[in-house]
Amino acid sequence: DEQILKKIHYERNHRKKTIANYKFSVNQYKEYSGKTLADLIEMAQKEERERVPWIDRKLKDELIGFRAYLHNKYDSERTANEYFMNIQAILRHNFVEIHYLPPISTKRSRKPHPISYKDLPDKPLLQTIFRLSNPVMKAINTHMVSCGMSKVDCLNLAVKNHIDSLKDYNILKGDTIYETLQNIQKRLEDEPLVGTYYHHRQKTGIQFYTFVSPESVKATNEYLLTRPDLKLDDPLFKISGVWLSMNFQKMNDELHLGKVGKYNRYTSKMLRRYHATHLKKGMDRDKVDFLQGRQVLSSTQQAYYFENYEELKQEYLQNMQLVMIDYECEIVEIDTPEVQEIKKENEKYEGFII
């Protein structure tokens, strides 16, 4: 079975998460039937060679039985379907024919609990969480709330993305990364800085612009200054997805926040929902969807937002207080005379600014 899975992962260029899901699905099948994946494929190919009609094939009965087993074992219809489809995908990749299967009733399946506004963490709760958090958790929390990035996209960012996000401000580049970060820190004392990220959303492959609040810029910059031996290509948040999930779980338990349906109230997805829900109070839904890396309804709109992301940034500046938790500031637009004066003053340092 291991060789079968290695082959399909290589040929389909699967991600680590998909590899883990396939492995778990195969284990579910073994638990159900007591057979190996190789046994199932061999049986199916033998029936095809012998031209057994689909209605009489053991493969059909095996798949129907396995599907029923999954739906009886898991309350979630989505979970059961995912594991079943993974086994089907493995069979089809090995050129096994799968024809019509009768539908299965999902009336007993547990439906996802709809998330309402009252289910989201509120501002006082997030203020408490942020104040209890260590530097890296505070940095990633403020980042998620202010720009709505998913957990995986946050963890894909590098240190250079943070520095490049502030190019509009013409901050002097130091001889070392730490000098550059100190220069950013000094500017933060004088004015609020809003970061601009051009990013690739891993889940959908969509390229998008998004912005982070001065609260996020400050928390991230302070966190980076605590890390030794920084390199530009180092992860912006030097943590794993598992570690991050464990810390969300720990905080959720310590504050007795409970669950919404079967999900914890304090998770990265809840912070993403907080961003979307609150920012939509001041910005159009399509614009917020674009800032979260979602596909907006119109391709024309998508192209327009790409070409005019600076307009989006000005609109974000006017509404960013909606996604700031523990930070108050006056709005400073990028194209004010004060900022233009700074740009002129720094022209002589061309090539030495970030």
Side-chain angles (χ1 to χ4, degrees):
D1 286 3
E2 186 176 343
Q3 292 304 314
I4 293 172
L5 289 175
K6 277 186 178 180
K7 185 173 185 289
I8 190 172
H9 296 325
Y10 173 75
E11 292 177 352
R12 293 194 175 193
N13 194 28
H14 282 155
R15 294 179 296 158
K16 288 183 179 179
K17 183 177 180 180
T18 305
I19 291 172
N21 282 341
Y22 270 54
K23 183 177 181 180
F24 191 80
S25 301
V26 170
N27 288 337
Q28 294 297 294
Y29 175 72
K30 288 179 180 178
E31 183 181 292
Y32 159 71
S33 68
K35 301 173 185 175
T36 66
L37 191 58
D39 292 336
L40 181 64
I41 294 172
E42 184 180 349
M43 178 187 73
Q45 292 175 341
K46 182 175 182 291
E47 288 183 317
E48 286 182 25
R49 287 193 300 270
E50 294 175 356
R51 299 187 179 182
V52 177
W54 176 247
I55 193 171
D56 296 324
R57 288 189 192 177
K58 293 178 183 178
L59 174 64
K60 171 185 66 77
D61 295 334
E62 193 81 0
L63 290 175
I64 291 173
F66 178 53
R67 184 180 61 181
Y69 167 79
L70 291 172
H71 280 271
N72 285 327
K73 181 175 181 178
Y74 295 101
D75 291 331
S76 169
E77 176 186 350
R78 180 178 177 181
T79 300
N81 285 338
E82 180 182 359
Y83 297 149
F84 183 63
M85 287 189 292
N86 285 345
I87 296 300
Q88 286 184 301
I90 294 169
L91 291 171
R92 289 194 170 102
H93 190 82
N94 286 273
F95 304 100
V96 171
E97 295 177 357
I98 300 175
H99 299 289
Y100 172 78
L101 294 173
I104 186 170
S105 173
T106 58
K107 290 181 180 179
R108 292 194 299 120
S109 298
R110 182 168 63 188
K111 306 301 179 186
H113 180 87
I115 305 297
S116 65
Y117 181 81
K118 65 181 178 60
D119 293 323
L120 296 175
D122 56 23
K123 191 170 183 176
L125 174 59
L126 290 178
Q127 286 176 336
T128 299
I129 289 172
F130 288 5
R131 291 169 186 175
L132 291 173
S133 296
N134 59 34
V136 62
M137 284 301 293
K138 183 176 181 180
I140 200 165
N141 274 276
T142 54
H143 188 94
M144 287 176 172
V145 167
S146 70
C147 75
M149 268 192 201
S150 67
K151 178 176 72 173
V152 66
D153 288 326
C154 286
L155 297 181
N156 284 339
L157 294 172
V159 173
K160 64 182 177 184
N161 295 128
H162 168 68
I163 295 174
D164 289 346
S165 75
L166 301 171
K167 277 185 175 180
D168 287 341
Y169 296 94
N170 289 330
I171 298 170
L172 290 177
K173 183 188 292 185
D175 293 333
T176 67
I177 295 176
Y178 295 99
E179 287 182 10
T180 301
L181 294 174
Q182 288 289 359
N183 290 337
I184 292 172
Q185 201 69 14
K186 290 175 184 176
R187 283 289 291 276
L188 281 166
E189 295 171 3
D190 299 327
E191 62 174 306
L193 306 180
V194 175
T196 301
Y197 284 81
Y198 177 65
H199 197 57
H200 170 92
R201 189 179 177 200
Q202 182 170 305
K203 181 177 180 180
T204 61
I206 293 174
Q207 301 287 134
F208 67 103
Y209 281 99
T210 195
F211 313 110
V212 294
S213 68
E215 179 176 49
S216 171
V217 173
K218 183 173 184 291
T220 301
N221 208 70
E222 289 176 349
Y223 157 63
L224 290 176
L225 284 168
T226 68
R227 283 171 51 184
D229 303 320
L230 267 185
K231 299 180 180 59
L232 289 175
D233 291 329
D234 285 349
L236 180 57
F237 306 108
K238 197 174 182 181
I239 54 177
S240 69
V242 172
W243 186 92
L244 181 58
S245 295
M246 287 174 59
N247 275 267
F248 274 116
Q249 178 74 55
K250 181 181 178 183
M251 185 68 75
N252 194 85
D253 293 344
E254 288 179 351
L255 297 180
H256 308 288
L257 301 182
K259 293 180 178 290
V260 179
K262 65 175 183 176
Y263 300 107
N264 288 340
R265 190 173 173 216
Y266 172 56
T267 64
S268 59
K269 286 187 177 180
M270 282 299 205
L271 297 186
R272 184 168 162 83
R273 287 191 177 104
Y274 182 97
H275 169 268
T277 301
H278 285 269
L279 203 55
K280 284 173 184 176
K281 294 177 181 178
M283 297 179 69
D284 290 343
R285 174 183 294 272
D286 283 350
K287 292 177 181 177
V288 177
D289 285 347
F290 176 82
L291 294 180
Q292 286 204 345
R294 301 180 186 274
Q295 182 70 53
V296 297
L297 294 177
S298 165
S299 57
T300 303
Q301 280 180 303
Q302 191 96 4
Y304 179 81
Y305 295 154
F306 263 111
E307 294 296 325
N308 299 276
Y309 73 91
E310 291 178 355
E311 290 181 16
L312 272 181
K313 185 167 187 174
Q314 293 303 326
E315 194 167 344
Y316 177 86
L317 284 164
Q318 298 298 324
N319 292 283
M320 65 184 179
Q321 292 286 359
L322 296 171
V323 288
M324 292 188 355
I325 305 304
D326 211 11
Y327 187 100
E328 298 292 334
C329 68
E330 295 181 5
I331 296 169
V332 178
E333 297 187 356
I334 300 302
D335 291 319
T336 58
E338 291 83 1
V339 174
Q340 291 299 326
E341 185 65 31
I342 292 172
K343 289 182 179 180
K344 289 178 182 178
E345 180 67 22
N346 287 317
E347 280 179 359
K348 58 185 175 181
Y349 296 106
E350 187 174 357
F352 296 92
I353 54 176
I354 62 171

